[in-house]
Amino acid sequence: MTILEKAESWLGQGRRLALATVVETWGSAPQPVGSQLLVDAEGHFEGAVSGGCVEGEVITQAQDVIVSGGHRLLEFGVADETAWRAGLACGGRIKIYVEALT
Amino acid sequence: MKISTLNVLNDAKRARRAVALITNTITGEERIETRADAQAGSDLEKAFRFDKSAMLGDEFIAIHNPPLRLVIIGAVLITQSLIPIARACGYDITVIDPRGAFATGARFPDITLLADWPQEVLPDFKLDARTGVIALAHDPKIDDPALEMALRSEAFYIGALGSKKSHAARIERLTKSGFDATDLARIAGPIGLSIGAVGAPEIAISIMAQLTQALRLGRL
């Protein structure tokens, strides 16, 4: 089952969801562009946007988006460790689009 | 993403239709484009062709090509080892073997299993550029007709099990059937990357590695 099919199934269970998608990568990045993470309001998730390095932060942002609606563009990388709690240990940089399913 | 958009994407996947979701990452606006309507040589058409999602300005082009498919001829032990690996790599799998004793649901649960001759069922199959064909039956009566149909298709990978000697005999038979050296060079035989594989699970890994190489690098 793909992430989008999983989303369909979770919506069928009445859950509110957000989707995070890797839209751009630079250097060494563990998950390719297009990789997705599905998150529900309780923080249950399926899929991945990195090797586990930034998932925690993305899940928190996704839960916020479920409440607030709309979308956010996040950027992670070694240089951004001061801006974000999470950083990529591999030295790569990734841009992640987080959106509510509405 | 709108739920209606999610439904369109899932419907397209089930119908094996190639579509792209284009999302403006600043405004959040989204639209669907189909491969059929993409202008030849455009950035969008190239993205479909190379199966590569990417940012284009502020827009994210998410390519949703039909799922990869793997057609395996021969319901044998290597097939059993190959199925979980291929599934993990995202392939929809069909196994074809006319020998009823091999092609049983008990040995092959949860996949499309056809206890028919390849030449009877493959014509209904669109062997497209997102499909790999692997002949593992080790019996020319079963393998050869499938290989001939694969060679006439756009299948991105064609592999056949057998030693160098049996592959040479296969090449001879297929040459008599009218295929030239360029056609026959498409067949990976003996199948799999040369990693010294011993036993079905390791052979399955060598096949899966070669299939991945053909998909990602476009070569055997």
PDB file of all heavy atoms in Angstrom, chain B residues 15 55 101 119 165 169 188:
ATOM      1  N   ALA B  15      -5.799   2.707 -12.210  1.00  0.00           N
ATOM      2  CA  ALA B  15      -6.085   2.556 -13.645  1.00  0.00           C
ATOM      3  C   ALA B  15      -4.804   2.544 -14.483  1.00  0.00           C
ATOM      4  O   ALA B  15      -4.882   2.520 -15.707  1.00  0.00           O
ATOM      5  CB  ALA B  15      -7.003   3.690 -14.104  1.00  0.00           C
ATOM      6  N   MET B  55      11.355  20.284  -8.146  1.00  0.00           N
ATOM      7  CA  MET B  55      10.889  21.666  -8.067  1.00  0.00           C
ATOM      8  C   MET B  55      11.166  22.338  -9.398  1.00  0.00           C
ATOM      9  O   MET B  55      12.214  22.134 -10.011  1.00  0.00           O
ATOM     10  CB  MET B  55      11.658  22.428  -6.973  1.00  0.00           C
ATOM     11  CG  MET B  55      11.311  22.057  -5.542  1.00  0.00           C
ATOM     12  SD  MET B  55       9.635  22.497  -5.042  1.00  0.00           S
ATOM     13  CE  MET B  55       9.705  24.290  -5.078  1.00  0.00           C
ATOM     14  N   ALA B 101       0.951 -28.040 -10.615  1.00  0.00           N
ATOM     15  CA  ALA B 101       1.570 -28.499  -9.371  1.00  0.00           C
ATOM     16  C   ALA B 101       2.468 -27.416  -8.774  1.00  0.00           C
ATOM     17  O   ALA B 101       2.649 -27.335  -7.560  1.00  0.00           O
ATOM     18  CB  ALA B 101       2.385 -29.765  -9.631  1.00  0.00           C
ATOM     19  N   GLN B 119       2.110 -17.653 -23.555  1.00  0.00           N
ATOM     20  CA  GLN B 119       1.602 -17.135 -24.835  1.00  0.00           C
ATOM     21  C   GLN B 119       0.086 -16.952 -24.822  1.00  0.00           C
ATOM     22  O   GLN B 119      -0.464 -16.236 -25.656  1.00  0.00           O
ATOM     23  CB  GLN B 119       2.041 -18.029 -26.010  1.00  0.00           C
ATOM     24  CG  GLN B 119       1.574 -19.461 -25.951  1.00  0.00           C
ATOM     25  CD  GLN B 119       2.589 -20.369 -25.244  1.00  0.00           C
ATOM     26  OE1 GLN B 119       3.204 -19.968 -24.242  1.00  0.00           O
ATOM     27  NE2 GLN B 119       2.764 -21.575 -25.745  1.00  0.00           N
ATOM     28  N   LYS B 165      25.887 -22.250 -20.888  1.00  0.00           N
ATOM     29  CA  LYS B 165      25.625 -23.228 -21.945  1.00  0.00           C
ATOM     30  C   LYS B 165      24.141 -23.196 -22.347  1.00  0.00           C
ATOM     31  O   LYS B 165      23.817 -23.142 -23.539  1.00  0.00           O
ATOM     32  CB  LYS B 165      26.009 -24.632 -21.417  1.00  0.00           C
ATOM     33  CG  LYS B 165      26.239 -25.648 -22.514  1.00  0.00           C
ATOM     34  CD  LYS B 165      26.707 -26.965 -21.913  1.00  0.00           C
ATOM     35  CE  LYS B 165      26.300 -28.124 -22.807  1.00  0.00           C
ATOM     36  NZ  LYS B 165      26.345 -29.406 -22.122  1.00  0.00           N
ATOM     37  N   ALA B 169      22.313 -21.972 -25.964  1.00  0.00           N
ATOM     38  CA  ALA B 169      21.312 -22.749 -26.700  1.00  0.00           C
ATOM     39  C   ALA B 169      20.035 -21.922 -26.896  1.00  0.00           C
ATOM     40  O   ALA B 169      19.401 -21.977 -27.949  1.00  0.00           O
ATOM     41  CB  ALA B 169      20.994 -24.030 -25.925  1.00  0.00           C
ATOM     42  N   ALA B 188      19.168 -10.550 -20.165  1.00  0.00           N
ATOM     43  CA  ALA B 188      20.201 -10.799 -19.160  1.00  0.00           C
ATOM     44  C   ALA B 188      20.265 -12.311 -18.934  1.00  0.00           C
ATOM     45  O   ALA B 188      19.336 -12.901 -18.392  1.00  0.00           O
ATOM     46  CB  ALA B 188      19.862 -10.078 -17.867  1.00  0.00           C
TER      47      ALA B 188
END
